[in-house]
Amino acid sequence: MDIIIYHNQSCGTSRNVLGLIRNAGIEPHVVEYLKTPPSRALLQLLISRMNSSVRAILREKGTPFAELGLDNPELTDGELLDAMMAHPILINRPIVVSPLGVKLCRPSEAVLDILADTQRGEFRKEDGELVIDQAGRRVA
């Protein structure tokens, strides 16, 4: 299965999602989007495929969101995209692309909805929370 993850190694959620993908026996294409941001057209396509709004994928925490006044509801999608192109850290992560769909995987377990392959064993998040049991089943 061909999987792409728009990843930030500094983000625990992103690392957990990458771990869940690998726990399914898949080695994804990892795009470190802060080093290699998606083009404006690609970002628009990803947002469209997620059936999301541009505003819904804006990241506030640890970004220049407030300084740029991006909470202004009058800003257009184009203006928000301009900000994300100028400051890729504003793109929330991780975004995962699979044959089953495109998803902003927050919380990290959301990636399981777009992975066709089953988990191959136990998986715990970095904080120790059990997500997948030893039999490869999702823990509620």
Side-chain angles (χ1 to χ4, degrees):
M1 179 182 285
D2 199 24
I3 303 286
I4 301 168
I5 178 173
Y6 291 88
H7 179 61
N8 180 346
Q9 183 58 34
S10 298
C11 172
T13 300
S14 198
R15 291 190 305 270
N16 286 327
V17 169
L18 182 57
L20 282 163
I21 294 169
R22 288 177 171 157
N23 198 51
I26 301 164
E27 186 53 42
H29 299 283
V30 177
V31 177
E32 293 185 36
Y33 75 96
L34 294 178
K35 294 178 184 174
T36 310
S39 68
R40 182 186 183 98
L42 177 56
L43 184 57
Q44 286 176 300
L45 177 63
L46 293 170
I47 293 168
S48 174
R49 289 190 59 202
M50 285 188 277
N51 292 318
S52 185
S53 68
V54 174
R55 188 168 291 282
I57 68 151
L58 265 174
R59 181 165 177 83
E60 295 180 35
K61 183 179 173 186
T63 73
F65 179 89
E67 294 86 1
L68 295 172
L70 297 177
D71 58 343
N72 180 347
E74 294 183 19
L75 291 174
T76 66
D77 286 351
E79 290 169 320
L80 296 175
L81 285 166
D82 288 344
M84 286 189 265
M85 293 295 92
H87 307 277
I89 192 72
L90 289 165
I91 302 169
N92 213 342
R93 77 282 180 152
I95 295 173
V96 177
V97 180
S98 89
L100 299 180
V102 179
K103 195 168 190 100
L104 173 60
C105 295
R106 300 188 78 80
S108 53
E109 300 89 320
V111 74
L112 299 172
D113 298 336
I114 59 170
L115 293 179
D117 296 333
T118 57
Q119 295 289 298
R120 295 187 170 184
E122 183 178 294
F123 183 85
R124 291 180 182 270
K125 290 183 180 182
E126 291 180 356
D127 66 4
E129 178 186 350
L130 182 65
V131 177
I132 304 294
D133 68 17
Q134 289 181 346
R137 294 180 303 246
R138 188 176 187 168
V139 176

